[in-house]
């Protein structure tokens, strides 16, 4: 699944308009806000955009504050955040990345650079979604597989297995219950020769005898 | 020779963001600038009147970003200078810089009017 929705949060309407135009040109669906607190509200929505381009300096909640809050959300696929910083604020960059931002772009952003970085974010998000799906499927499978005991008491002669309630059960019943396995009964060539063939021959012979009698 | 108020290469980059059947990006961005900048200028005037360095820094910073977005190079430099004065709370030269910002904004606005018939 590739999520092409991006939240753009910047209190400067000019910069916001430019960033939106860049992302729309790149094929993204853009949601805009000029307010840090509103950005935080949007990012907590169940169907929130997975990508966000957030201005460092905003009244209310600034970019790093939003990043720090985002990292406290219990989500398997947290939003990928790119911070917009001033050109001269190299110390800011470290603070921003420590706060939990995934990347940063200096203002005013060069269209090609911003798009390239957002595309990287989209790839990371797609990967996270694929992994989360995978984990979910594996967890479903695991919950279906009941645990098999490590050490099974088995009768040396009839091969019955003693279960936790001290009942002796046929091996196929035990495994079907504990591992969700279905058995389809058949016979191997050796057993066919040893058990099945003599029975068939016996039946054949009986049939023959009854036929002879009838005559 | 007077330099242009707007850097043509920045406007050209904005123009390349145009999409078929959608509003012109240059027109949209310059329109937003013309609406927003006067509010920022008024806030800068207020901050200077009240010698509020912090607010001066914040408003100058906002206008710096907007000016850079449209390629208003001189306006951007003047706003940066003012932002720095606000940051260091040394406002001695601020009235001069604010005057320069106003006259440069007028130049930017005139150039934009020429671009947006």
């Amino acid at each position: 699944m590739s999520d092409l929705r991006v939240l753009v949060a910047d209190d400067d309407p000019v910069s916001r308009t430019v960033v939106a135009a860049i992302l729309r040109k790149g094929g993204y669906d853009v949601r805009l806000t000029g307010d840090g607190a509103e950005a935080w509200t949007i990012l907590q929505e169940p169907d929130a955009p997975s990508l966000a381009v957030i201005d460092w300096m905003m009244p209310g909640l600034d970019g790093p504050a939003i990043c720090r809050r985002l990292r406290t959300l219990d989500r398997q696929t947290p939003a990928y955040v790119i911070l917009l910083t001033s050109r001269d604020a190299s110390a800011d960059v470290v603070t921003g990345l420590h706060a939990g931002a995934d990347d940063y772009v200096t203002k005013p952003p060069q269209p090609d650079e911003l798009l390239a970085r957002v595309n990287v974010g989209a790839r990371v998000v797609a990967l996270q979604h694929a992994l989360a799906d995978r984990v979910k499927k594996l967890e479903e499978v695991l919950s279906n597989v009941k645990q098999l005991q490590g050490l099974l008491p088995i009768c040396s002669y009839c091969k019955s297995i003693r279960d936790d309630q001290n009942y002796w059960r046929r091996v196929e019943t035990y495994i079907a219950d504990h591992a969700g396995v279905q058995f389809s009964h058949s016979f191997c060539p050796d057993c066919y020769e040893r058990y099945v063939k003599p029975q068939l021959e016996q039946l054949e012979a009986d049939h023959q005898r009854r036929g002879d009698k009838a005559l | 020779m007077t330099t242009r108020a707007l850097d043509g290469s920045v406007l050209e980059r904005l123009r390349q963001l145009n999409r078929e059947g959608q509003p012109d990006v240059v027109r949209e961005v310059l329109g937003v600038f013309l609406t927003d900048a006067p509010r920022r200028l008024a806030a800068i005037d207020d901050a200077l009147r009240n010698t509020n360095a912090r607010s001066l820094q914040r408003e100058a910073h906002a206008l710096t970003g907007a000016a850079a977005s449209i390629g208003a190079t001189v306006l951007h430099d003047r706003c940066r200078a003012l932002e720095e004065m606000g940051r260091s709370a040394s406002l001695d030269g601020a009235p001069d810089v604010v005057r320069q910002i106003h006259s440069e904004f007028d130049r930017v606005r005139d150039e934009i009017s020429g671009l947006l018939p």
Side-chain angles (χ1 to χ4, degrees):
Chain A
M1 184 187 98
S2 89
D3 194 336
L4 292 178
R5 288 173 308 135
V6 187
L7 172 69
V8 174
D10 190 335
D11 63 317
D12 171 17
V14 181
S15 163
R16 198 163 66 221
T17 310
V18 173
V19 170
I22 294 171
L23 297 178
R24 286 184 181 127
K25 182 73 177 178
Y28 290 93
D29 186 6
V30 180
R31 189 159 171 193
L32 294 171
T33 175
D35 183 80
E38 193 187 340
W40 170 236
T41 307
I42 293 171
L43 287 170
Q44 291 174 90
E45 289 171 1
D47 193 30
S50 311
L51 287 159
V53 177
I54 298 176
D55 187 30
W56 177 284
M57 261 213 216
M58 271 189 296
L61 273 181
D62 66 13
I66 294 173
C67 289
R68 271 190 291 273
R69 289 193 184 190
L70 261 180
R71 297 302 160 222
T72 64
L73 282 185
D74 185 23
R75 292 256 170 100
Q76 255 180 333
T77 53
Y80 186 96
V81 179
I82 298 173
L83 281 182
L84 291 173
T85 68
S86 301
R87 193 168 288 286
D88 54 348
S90 56
D92 280 2
V93 168
V94 178
T95 316
L97 294 175
H98 275 314
D102 296 284
D103 200 357
Y104 71 94
V105 173
T106 51
K107 283 176 96 170
Q110 301 299 308
D112 289 349
E113 186 193 352
L114 178 61
L115 261 189
R117 288 177 185 270
V118 171
N119 288 341
V120 169
R123 284 205 295 276
V124 170
V125 165
L127 203 65
Q128 278 175 336
H129 280 298
L131 275 175
D133 279 355
R134 224 26 194 290
V135 168
K136 203 172 144 206
K137 281 197 185 107
L138 281 173
E139 279 170 351
E140 277 168 17
V141 169
L142 269 179
S143 72
N144 286 336
V145 176
K146 293 175 193 164
Q147 205 190 352
L148 278 170
Q149 295 261 353
L151 193 63
L152 292 178
I154 186 165
C155 168
S156 305
Y157 293 98
C158 73
K159 307 300 178 201
S160 289
I161 288 174
R162 197 180 67 213
D163 68 10
D164 302 335
Q165 281 80 44
N166 224 13
Y167 286 117
W168 287 92
R169 305 172 65 188
R170 291 173 63 88
V171 66
E172 55 265 54
T173 317
Y174 184 89
I175 291 178
D177 276 1
H178 288 74
V181 176
Q182 298 294 318
F183 286 88
S184 106
H185 285 86
S186 181
F187 14 75
C188 69
D190 282 353
C191 292
Y192 180 83
E193 286 296 326
R194 192 180 305 164
Y195 301 106
V196 183
K197 210 170 158 197
Q199 281 183 36
L200 285 175
E201 283 166 0
Q202 183 67 47
L203 279 172
E204 187 87 359
D206 288 352
H207 191 70
Q208 200 86 44
R209 231 182 352 263
R210 276 203 296 278
D212 289 348
K213 265 186 195 158
L215 280 173
Chain B
M1 191 189 104
T2 54
T3 52
R4 295 184 68 85
L6 297 176
D7 178 346
S9 67
V10 173
L11 296 181
E12 184 47 40
R13 266 204 300 273
L14 290 178
R15 197 164 287 121
Q16 283 170 9
L17 299 175
N18 278 340
R19 290 174 303 148
E20 191 131 349
Q22 298 297 321
D24 182 57
V25 172
V26 176
R27 175 178 286 271
E28 192 185 355
V29 171
L30 293 180
V32 172
F33 177 83
L34 285 186
T35 313
D36 185 59
R39 274 201 294 262
R40 301 287 184 191
L41 285 171
I44 285 174
D45 289 342
D46 277 351
L48 185 63
R49 220 178 357 259
N50 303 324
T51 53
N52 183 339
R54 208 189 148 96
S55 154
L56 197 65
Q57 180 203 342
R58 196 178 50 239
E59 298 301 334
H61 175 82
L63 198 52
T64 305
S69 295
I70 62 164
T73 320
V74 180
L75 185 62
H76 167 262
D77 291 347
R78 296 291 80 208
C79 291
R80 269 289 283 280
L82 186 63
E83 185 185 348
E84 204 43 56
M85 289 173 174
R87 195 190 317 276
S88 59
S90 52
L91 303 186
D92 290 350
D96 252 359
V97 177
V98 171
R99 258 193 302 280
Q100 289 165 7
I101 288 174
H102 273 285
S103 75
E104 183 60 20
F105 172 72
D106 290 345
R107 226 160 64 87
V108 169
R109 190 179 49 201
D110 290 349
E111 226 166 87
I112 291 176
S113 311
L115 287 170
L116 305 178

